[in-house]
Amino acid sequence: MLSDSEKHDIIGNEFAGCKILSKLGSGGMGSVYKARHIGLDKLVCIKILSPQLAQNKRNVDFFIREARSIAKLDHPNIVQVYHVGKEKGIYFLMMSYVDGKSLDEVIKSSGPLKFKKATR
């Protein structure tokens, strides 16, 4: 069995049918990676549930519910969910990749958004 650090040392490796290219960030639930889906030859994001949270069934259920809820939404401004599952003992969510700056980066460089711009 891989250690937690080895599980997430996946950059450059294949995971869930994708080649992991880079880490985009991390948050309360885990980490997000930019990847190229091998079969579709398209960029995707893979969100990986942290190993600590994955030890609790309640967290896993929440993670899967989040994926299913997002997958039910169909709007041009909402990412598409392609797959949710578990591979090599790691829970993941595969979704569309959106190129550009994160909201955090925009706010840090330009300050808070005006209401009109934020709602556009």
Side-chain angles (χ1 to χ4, degrees):
M1 187 87 179
L2 296 175
S3 71
D4 290 344
S5 62
E6 290 171 321
K7 283 182 184 179
H8 292 280
D9 186 22
I10 62 174
I11 296 171
N13 294 316
E14 189 175 325
F15 178 82
C18 299
K19 175 148 184 172
I20 306 299
L21 303 174
S22 62
K23 185 174 182 177
L24 296 174
S26 58
M29 293 286 295
S31 299
V32 179
Y33 296 87
K34 180 179 176 181
R36 177 162 300 281
H37 191 283
I38 296 167
L40 299 175
D41 190 29
K42 121 184 234 166
L43 291 176
V44 297
C45 281
I46 298 180
K47 182 177 184 178
I48 293 180
L49 183 63
S50 78
Q52 295 78 18
L53 292 177
Q55 293 176 11
N56 184 319
K57 183 181 179 326
R58 186 169 165 235
N59 295 328
V60 172
D61 291 345
F62 179 83
F63 186 77
I64 293 170
R65 263 195 325 274
E66 173 190 30
R68 289 179 178 161
S69 295
I70 296 168
K72 291 177 184 175
L73 301 173
D74 186 18
H75 189 277
N77 295 337
I78 299 174
V79 297
Q80 295 293 301
V81 171
Y82 302 133
H83 189 55
V84 64
K86 182 179 180 183
E87 183 169 310
K88 301 176 185 174
I90 300 170
Y91 289 93
F92 71 94
L93 163 60
M94 187 184 303
M95 57 196 145
S96 50
Y97 171 76
V98 179
D99 193 23
K101 293 181 178 179
S102 69
L103 178 59
D104 186 47
E105 291 169 327
V106 170
I107 291 171
K108 283 179 181 173
S109 68
S110 305
L113 299 176
K114 302 275 188 221
F115 178 79
K116 194 170 189 173
K117 186 173 183 179
T119 56
R120 181 173 46 97

